[in-house]
């Protein structure tokens, strides 16, 4: 879900058992999305290799939130 902002759809799809991936440039919007899931202790942040933002991974393994530019190349998303 590109440019997800604080859209509740990402969380709703996750609640129904789907694996979700979303991206937004605005760190505050990604923070709001993380709070929809549960406490921050359920998220781990990783710096992007190119220095463009962070990747937040939920401990369930079914939610990944990218904080950064949607136009940046992300090899890990190819063929996924």
């Amino acid at each position: 879900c590109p440019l997800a902002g604080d859209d509740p759809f990402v969380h709703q799809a996750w609640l129904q058992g789907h694996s979700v991936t979303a991206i937004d440039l605005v760190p505050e919007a990604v923070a709001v999305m993380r709070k929809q899931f549960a406490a921050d202790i359920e998220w781990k942040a990783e710096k992007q290799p190119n220095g463009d933002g962070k990747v937040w991974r939920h401990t369930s393994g079914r939610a990944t939130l990218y904080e950064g530019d949607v136009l940046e190349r992300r090899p890990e998303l190819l063929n996924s």
Side-chain angles (χ1 to χ4, degrees):
C1 187
L3 306 175
D6 55 1
D7 187 342
F9 172 77
V10 175
H11 182 244
Q12 186 62 32
W14 182 80
L15 284 175
Q16 293 181 6
H18 299 280
S19 293
V20 295
T21 301
I23 186 169
D24 200 291
L25 180 62
V26 181
E28 292 82 4
V30 176
V32 170
M33 270 202 297
R34 285 194 329 266
K35 288 178 183 172
Q36 291 175 358
F37 286 79
D40 278 343
I41 59 170
E42 294 186 3
W43 291 95
K44 286 186 133 187
E46 303 168 7
K47 290 286 277 178
Q48 287 289 282
N50 63 2
D52 175 45
K54 298 178 184 174
V55 178
W56 293 90
R57 298 187 193 282
H58 193 267
T59 56
S60 69
R62 293 189 303 110
T64 305
L65 306 178
Y66 285 84
E67 181 181 297
D69 189 346
V70 71
L71 299 177
E72 285 291 323
R73 182 173 168 82
R74 300 181 195 282
E76 69 273 21
L77 295 180
L78 291 175
N79 301 317
S80 63

